Amino acid sequence: MHDDRSLVEGRLKRVLDERLRPAVYPESVPLEVVVWHAPDEPVPVAEGLAAEPEPIAVGARWGAPWGTSWFRVTGTVPKEWAGKTVEALLDLGFDENMPGFQCEGLVYRPDGTPVKGLNPRNQWVRIGAPVEGGEEVRLHIEAASNPVILDYHPFLPTKLGDKETAGSEPQYRLERMDLAVLDETVWQLVIDLEVLGELMAELPVESARRWEILRAVEKALDALDLQDVGGTAAQAQVRLETVLSEPAAPSAHRISAVGHAHIDSAWLWPLRETVRKVARTTSNMTALLDDEPEFVFAMSQAQQWAWVRDHRPEVWARVKKAVADGRFVPAGGMWVESDTNMPGSEAMARQFVHGKRFFLDEFGIENEEAWLPDTFGFAAGLPQIIKAAGSKWLLTQKISWSQTNKFPHHTFRWEGIDGTRIFTHFPPVDTYNCSMKGSEIAHAARNFKDKGVARHSLAPTGWGDGGGGTTREVIAKAARLRDLEGSATVAWETPAEFFTKAETEYPEPPVWVGELYLELHRATLTSQAKTKQGNRRSEHLLREAELWAATAAVRTGFPYPYEELDRIWKTVLLHQFHDILPGSSIAWVHREARRTYERLADELNGLIDAAQRALAGEGTRELLFNSAPHARGGVAAGGAGTAVVEGRTTVTESSGGGHVLDNGILRIRIDTRGLVVSAYDIEADRETVAPGQAANLLQLHPDFPNMWDAWDVDEFYRHTVTDLTDVDEITPEGHGVRITRAFGASRVTQVLSLAPGERRLLVDTEVDWHETEKFLKLAFPLDVHAERYASETQFGHFHRPTHTNTSWEAAKFEACNHRFVHLEEPGWGVAIVNDSTYGHDVTRTVRTDGDRGTTTTVRASLLRAPRFPDPETDQGVHRFRHALVPGAGIGDAVREGWRINLPERSVRGAQEVAPLVTVDQQAVVVTAVKLADDGSGDVVVRFHEAHGGRTRATLRAGFEVAGVTVTDLLERPLTDAPSPRSEGNEVSLRLRPFELVTLRFTRA
């Protein structure tokens, strides 16, 4: 037989495009349209419905950036349409290739009842099936004219990302407002031909199945009269019945489709718009669940559920019913789909605490999976947190974006720093916006790396990023793929159903140890510095507020601020969303974030001050409150008293220029450039700075990645570097020196100081930053030979190699740390600690002359200046604090990391304050002291082993104890945990490396 594939395939494409799809709606009449443009921010529904509109014609432009327009459409169903299915077609000016990224609408009935959302892939509203004819139609559309930020030429700088700079030029043109007859037979034929055409294109040319489909499609097209599509569509469908009824092979890959609408809680739109996106999407999905009995929809992010509950009660009622029916499924058990690299230990724990508790309180549902399809890599401490929250599975998608190395598994057990293993799945469909295209389904089956031992994978199915969700077309395709020869099989299932089957099928999958590093989006560790600083500061202020409020509540009866802390935690957790904290959102989002963090800081400082004054009492004695988990200056961790400062620091000028700082522990030499050329550990007789090098070196790189400006830094940025060594002024100040220097359009002021009795050189840096597309680093070249280094992560630290033996190691040229980076040779090490930065790089070179030793350089990433999506990223004044800690063991790194983030507070009062809880082992770090969330008055203490070794510890409560229980993160007793050995107010424990423990003390 002659090969006529291209002829038939071309015929199919043209007939679909030019005859069949237009014939889905064979008859239509226009609706009358009027509009009212809200003058500013969105208004309540009642106000929008009652507003006085003005006429608008199809073809007219509408919608200033970030505006809201209320359209009212009215009309009458023609009498001659009686018995037919009629829909309103409401096209606001959509580009169907941009669902979630442009204008959207929510349709209401005149009484304010929401009907469904409108988006580029969902432009219809059912009027009747069938209609009687003569029905009056009246619908209202709350239309959001969100501007397109990520356009067909992506990453171009735009001022549209902030309402304050976006202007008022209309963004859209009203395209269609009609009543139309839906020909369901033609619609079904279109789906049949799409499914078969897409499947056919994925089959081998040599396969008989491909040719069978080709011949059936050809016969169907032959049966179709293109001048009478509606009259002949049923005949064409008959020609396809045989090929559509052939069952899949028994060995076919099995896909669990989960209805999905990934909705970024903020990204190319502000938080307030996400509230409306969620309402539109949930309206659509509850309506679709009513129409499609097999469909299952899952939605994560408790915050988004709370938005529906609080802002759209009518939609919430429909959601609750669908949840009760088991078809609208809470997923993930987190407050938001957060970044997992940068949130601190407690914050990462609270994501699960608040997320899981919301679903338990509202629905009595316990989530057992973490659902993070779009998060930019996963910290090595996360498995233990997932387990401690009572969950056991993880789903993500984003690792498939890695540029260099292909991850070797799709289903595996992920082992964290403490040895906890979590059953994990990466959907091989390689998208969290699956639309059931044949190419997607075939890719999932081909791509699945666990063939031969497993055959199940999951496909998050529906339009996402900006929401929208699953469509009736997608569900219709899935129905045809349920059991179809040549294809993977598809069934709608909940995440729990998938994971249960997958784990049963593959009980001993391979194990991946350590972080799940995304080889992309590395610059998200640095972009939008003030957002990151706001997060870090808020985390530590919350620690202080809980600690001192709990202490004051137990000691003085101080009213514990349950509601305030709950609200503030949820606000901080929201801003850890994976496009807010990473700095990849529009200017509006980060402008609001800065203001939010300032407001939270004021409120938390007020709570802390009130609790500390209640503890200190009335008096004139100066007390230092120590919120850090280690004693300092003679003041116990979690206590208050009079600090003791021992020793002195001298600041002298060098004979050859520059200055020497000496406190008897360290001797720091600063040259005339303001650079540290020596950091000498006097007791160890050991130099810290590599020979011929200088620390505290600011370095500037060009920074113009190939794509994803705010997200990415590409390795070639290192090819060009400018050392900022010109200095304007160096003057002694206190226990150190002040240095000022200028570069480009920017200016830096640094204070290097060495306090008496301290083993750390503080580096306070203020940058007035006005560069564009540049990357600023702070370098510390160290005379340390180390094949690996430690960087802090949640509830411990993680080691990365300093070398680049393999492509996996080379790809980690920018990585995340929390409060410290630590390197060591046996018996001596160095730590670099920080109060607000996350991104860093570590490189090593071997000196070819002199001692031929190894220079290991640690560089902290301070600032970037990408122009997309925020063209003014990071412009302005920033302050950073780092410290160089020579002679530091890992315990010193842990301690100094906490101290730099939790400075002492001075309060005048009458008496010292004893800690509420003490631990006798430095390796055990208490991360939270609080009252139980249930209001019982029980004291909850969370701690972990922080040095990476086994240890014994005794924890003592500074109050009378009636009982103590080991709990999960939600403060529920752990039935499988051994009871702690306790006597009186003391609890004795044995901890494995990095083990996390939560104890709940009942007060006597």
Side-chain angles (χ1 to χ4, degrees):
M1 182 179 289
H2 296 297
D3 186 347
D4 61 348
R5 286 179 299 113
S6 60
L7 189 68
V8 177
E9 291 166 3
R11 179 186 180 191
L12 172 61
K13 182 180 185 305
R14 187 175 185 192
V15 169
L16 276 169
D17 288 346
E18 298 184 20
R19 292 293 187 271
L20 276 175
R21 292 191 184 103
V24 168
Y25 291 102
E27 301 176 74
S28 64
V29 295
L31 289 160
E32 292 186 11
V33 190
V34 293
V35 65
W36 174 73
H37 303 292
D40 189 31
E41 283 294 277
V43 299
V45 173
E47 184 177 342
L49 295 177
E52 189 63 36
E54 57 187 29
I56 186 172
V58 169
R61 298 188 65 81
W62 70 278
W66 307 114
T68 300
S69 298
W70 283 84
F71 292 94
R72 187 180 72 207
V73 296
T74 55
T76 304
V77 177
K79 290 283 189 182
E80 57 270 25
W81 288 2
K84 298 180 179 181
T85 297
V86 175
E87 295 180 342
L89 300 183
L90 308 173
D91 185 347
L92 299 172
F94 297 125
D95 179 342
E96 70 171 16
N97 294 313
M98 285 194 169
F101 292 90
Q102 53 172 265
C103 61
E104 298 172 343
L106 183 55
V107 179
Y108 296 88
R109 296 188 180 92
D111 63 0
T113 305
V115 180
K116 68 188 296 285
L118 297 177
N119 63 59
R121 297 281 178 167
N122 213 324
Q123 303 178 24
W124 57 273
V125 176
R126 180 64 58 90
I127 302 301
V131 296
E132 296 179 358
E135 292 93 336
E136 295 297 321
V137 175
R138 184 185 181 95
L139 298 170
H140 298 260
I141 308 165
E142 180 189 17
S145 50
N146 302 331
V148 176
I149 306 294
L150 191 68
D151 214 332
Y152 286 98
H153 187 165
F155 318 122
L156 289 179
T158 175
K159 292 185 177 181
L160 290 172
D162 194 334
K163 186 178 177 182
E164 294 183 355
T165 61
S168 58
E169 185 69 22
Q171 300 291 293
Y172 296 99
R173 187 183 304 278
L174 205 60
E175 288 295 331
R176 185 175 188 181
M177 294 277 150
D178 287 350
L179 285 178
V181 172
L182 171 67
D183 190 323
E184 296 189 67
T185 302
V186 175
W187 185 86
Q188 296 286 355
L189 177 60
V190 168
I191 302 296
D192 287 344
L193 288 171
E194 286 181 349
V195 167
L196 290 171
E198 290 166 5
L199 172 60
M200 178 171 60
E202 299 299 323
L203 294 171
V205 173
E206 301 80 15
S207 72
R209 176 64 169 164
R210 177 163 182 162
W211 288 90
E212 289 171 358
I213 294 173
L214 185 81
R215 297 279 79 94
V217 167
E218 185 177 43
K219 290 176 182 177
L221 295 177
D222 288 344
L224 196 66
D225 183 348
L226 299 186
Q227 309 307 314
D228 183 17
V229 171
T232 55
Q235 300 171 34
Q237 274 192 293
V238 171
R239 307 289 179 94
L240 301 174
E241 287 177 352
T242 300
V243 289
L244 283 169
S245 62
E246 293 292 335
S251 61
H253 185 70
R254 298 171 185 174
I255 293 176
S256 297
V258 178
H260 188 237
H262 177 64
I263 304 178
D264 287 310
S265 289
W267 178 28
L268 304 179
W269 45 86
L271 287 167
R272 67 91 153 139
E273 192 55 35
T274 313
V275 175
R276 302 201 296 177
K277 282 178 173 287
V278 175
R280 297 174 200 127
T281 297
T282 52
S283 294
N284 272 348
M285 295 304 97
T286 51
L288 202 56
L289 288 167
D290 290 341
D291 295 339
E292 303 290 346
E294 295 186 1
F295 177 51
V296 176
F297 181 77
M299 189 170 89
S300 69
Q301 307 192 72
Q303 171 69 87
Q304 296 188 1
W305 291 72
W307 280 333
V308 179
R309 180 196 63 190
D310 298 341
H311 294 274
R312 288 291 190 272
E314 303 89 346
V315 180
W316 179 247
R318 288 159 51 179
V319 168
K320 287 186 70 174
K321 179 182 182 303
V323 172
D325 293 339
R327 314 231 350 258
F328 198 122
V329 182
M334 295 176 68
W335 191 248
V336 295
E337 290 181 14
S338 72
D339 180 80
T340 75
N341 286 312
M342 290 176 282
S345 303
E346 272 305 306
M348 201 72 252
R350 304 300 175 96
Q351 285 287 352
F352 287 91
V353 169
H354 287 283
K356 294 196 74 169
R357 188 171 286 144
F358 180 90
F359 293 133
L360 283 165
D361 290 347
E362 294 291 341
F363 308 113
I365 289 175
E366 173 98 15
N367 295 103
E368 294 190 298
E369 77 286 335
W371 182 274
L372 292 164
D374 191 31
T375 297
F376 308 152
F378 298 87
L382 187 58
Q384 181 174 206
I385 298 172
I386 293 173
K387 183 177 181 181
S391 297
K392 59 184 180 180
W393 301 312
L394 169 67
L395 177 133
T396 185
Q397 180 67 64
K398 202 70 170 191
I399 298 297
S400 68
W401 285 40
S402 285
Q403 289 178 315
T404 306
N405 299 286
K406 191 75 172 174
F407 198 80
H409 318 296
H410 281 109
T411 301
F412 60 99
R413 291 200 187 275
W414 177 29
E415 181 178 318
I417 56 175
D418 74 312
T420 297
R421 292 180 175 180
I422 293 294
F423 189 84
T424 304
H425 181 66
F426 291 170
V429 71
D430 280 350
T431 178
Y432 48 79
N433 295 324
C434 177
S435 61
M436 287 292 146
K437 286 183 180 177
S439 56
E440 294 171 337
I441 302 306
H443 176 75
R446 285 195 299 262
N447 188 40
F448 188 55
K449 294 187 178 299
D450 305 296
K451 298 182 188 76
V453 288
R455 64 173 60 162
H456 276 86
S457 73
L458 185 147
T461 302
W463 301 102
D465 288 313
T470 318
T471 64
R472 62 184 179 184
E473 289 80 10
V474 168
I475 292 175
K477 285 189 171 185
R480 288 155 175 81
L481 297 171
R482 183 183 299 112
D483 189 15
L484 182 62
E485 184 186 354
S487 171
T489 66
V490 174
W492 295 104
E493 293 185 309
T494 68
E497 287 171 335
F498 161 75
F499 274 110
T500 299
K501 289 181 179 179
E503 195 168 18
T504 300
E505 172 187 71
Y506 201 13
E508 296 298 331
V511 175
W512 182 270
V513 179
E515 68 181 333
L516 295 171
Y517 180 91
L518 176 63
E519 296 170 357
L520 192 74
H521 293 0
R522 302 168 181 90
T524 57
L525 303 173
T526 305
S527 296
Q528 297 288 0
K530 288 188 177 177
T531 298
K532 291 168 171 58
Q533 289 177 324
N535 173 73
R536 177 79 70 86
R537 187 69 181 127
S538 296
E539 290 179 352
H540 288 90
L541 286 170
L542 276 161
R543 170 196 171 82
E544 291 187 84
E546 288 182 338
L547 169 65
W548 299 120
T551 305
V554 172
R555 295 277 166 71
T556 73
F558 180 82
Y560 191 79
Y562 291 101
E563 293 183 3
E564 294 91 335
L565 290 171
D566 180 79
R567 170 177 46 78
I568 294 170
W569 262 118
K570 288 172 179 174
T571 302
V572 172
L573 298 178
L574 167 59
H575 285 79
Q576 291 177 341
F577 179 75
H578 66 252
D579 276 308
I580 304 179
L581 180 54
S584 46
S585 289
I586 55 174
W588 189 347
V589 173
H590 293 289
R591 172 171 56 80
E592 284 191 334
R594 290 191 293 271
R595 294 174 181 173
T596 297
Y597 286 130
E598 290 169 1
R599 186 181 72 250
L600 295 183
D602 288 343
E603 188 171 0
L604 287 167
N605 279 315
L607 293 175
I608 294 164
D609 182 67
Q612 289 179 340
R613 292 189 182 281
L615 287 164
E618 293 294 331
T620 59
R621 182 179 175 186
E622 185 173 358
L623 300 170
L624 290 180
F625 280 76
N626 177 20
S627 303
H630 306 90
R632 59 179 166 194
V635 180
T642 303
V644 177
V645 178
E646 297 180 350
R648 58 188 290 269
T649 298
T650 61
V651 180
T652 58
E653 292 191 16
S654 300
S655 58
H659 296 78
V660 177
L661 317 181
D662 192 327
N663 68 355
I665 301 170
L666 300 178
R667 185 180 303 122
I668 309 296
R669 295 188 182 276
I670 302 166
D671 70 6
T672 56
R673 302 170 298 172
L675 304 180
V676 177
V677 292
S678 173
Y680 187 69
D681 182 341
I682 295 172
E683 180 183 356
D685 188 23
R686 174 73 186 253
E687 177 58 62
T688 306
V689 180
Q693 301 292 310
N696 187 48
L697 174 63
L698 289 163
Q699 295 183 300
L700 193 66
H701 296 270
D703 184 18
F704 188 63
N706 289 347
M707 297 176 67
W708 300 106
D709 297 44
W711 294 256
D712 284 358
V713 56
D714 290 330
E715 193 274 339
F716 54 74
Y717 88 92
R718 292 179 171 180
H719 297 176
T720 307
V721 60
T722 301
D723 293 343
L724 303 179
T725 57
D726 291 343
V727 64
D728 294 344
E729 186 179 14
I730 302 179
T731 56
E733 180 177 297
H735 297 126
V737 296
R738 174 180 292 271
I739 305 148
T740 59
R741 62 178 97 242
F743 61 94
S746 303
R747 189 172 185 82
V748 176
T749 301
Q750 289 185 300
V751 176
L752 307 186
S753 58
L754 181 64
E758 297 283 1
R759 180 179 288 277
R760 65 177 187 178
L761 172 69
L762 273 178
V763 181
D764 288 294
T765 304
E766 179 178 290
V767 187
D768 189 4
W769 179 248
H770 297 284
E771 304 307 302
T772 300
E773 294 167 351
K774 295 289 192 294
F775 198 3
L776 183 65
K777 293 264 189 175
L778 179 63
F780 297 88
L782 307 173
D783 190 10
V784 178
H785 178 84
E787 292 186 357
R788 66 178 192 171
Y789 72 96
S791 67
E792 190 187 30
T793 188
Q794 293 101 1
F795 298 111
H797 56 265
F798 174 67
H799 287 101
R800 297 188 185 93
T802 59
H803 57 75
T804 54
N805 282 358
T806 70
S807 59
W808 293 87
E809 291 144 359
K812 295 184 180 182
F813 60 82
E814 185 80 4
C816 183
N817 71 290
H818 286 190
R819 286 170 287 237
F820 70 80
V821 168
H822 178 256
L823 304 95
E824 66 178 341
E825 298 172 2
W828 194 87
V830 183
I832 310 293
V833 300
N834 73 83
D835 77 338
S836 59
T837 56
Y838 296 92
H840 70 279
D841 68 90
V842 178
T843 55
R844 70 200 302 260
T845 58
V846 174
R847 303 187 287 272
T848 57
D849 53 3
D851 66 354
R852 289 184 289 181
T854 301
T855 299
T856 305
T857 301
V858 178
R859 298 197 306 165
S861 303
L862 302 187
L863 290 165
R864 300 184 67 237
R867 301 186 65 212
F868 182 89
D870 176 4
E872 301 295 323
T873 301
D874 280 333
Q875 301 299 297
V877 176
H878 302 268
R879 295 176 179 86
F880 307 95
R881 173 169 277 198
H882 294 79
L884 172 67
V885 190
I890 192 67
D892 301 305
V894 172
R895 183 188 66 249
E896 294 298 336
W898 278 101
R899 286 183 177 178
I900 200 171
N901 283 273
L902 287 166
E904 306 99 318
R905 291 176 182 262
S906 179
V907 177
R908 293 198 176 275
Q911 70 266 340
E912 294 188 352
V913 179
L916 197 60
V917 175
T918 57
V919 185
D920 68 349
Q921 171 56 258
Q922 289 286 299
V924 176
V925 170
V926 175
T927 60
V929 177
K930 59 191 288 294
L931 295 193
D933 291 342
D934 61 8
S936 63
D938 291 356
V939 175
V940 173
V941 182
R942 189 150 33 247
F943 53 92
H944 69 287
E945 195 289 319
H947 292 184
R950 292 185 178 272
T951 191
R952 296 182 181 184
T954 299
L955 187 146
R956 185 180 187 281
F959 52 91
E960 292 303 310
V961 174
V964 60
T965 308
V966 180
T967 74
D968 66 5
L969 294 179
L970 277 71
E971 303 167 6
R972 303 173 298 188
L974 284 177
T975 56
D976 59 348
S979 298
R981 290 195 301 123
S982 61
E983 184 175 343
N985 296 352
E986 293 187 349
V987 180
S988 299
L989 304 119
R990 292 173 181 260
L991 281 79
R992 65 179 185 273
F994 302 126
E995 182 177 0
L996 165 64
V997 178
T998 304
L999 294 182
R1000 179 170 179 152
F1001 292 88
T1002 303
R1003 291 152 59 192

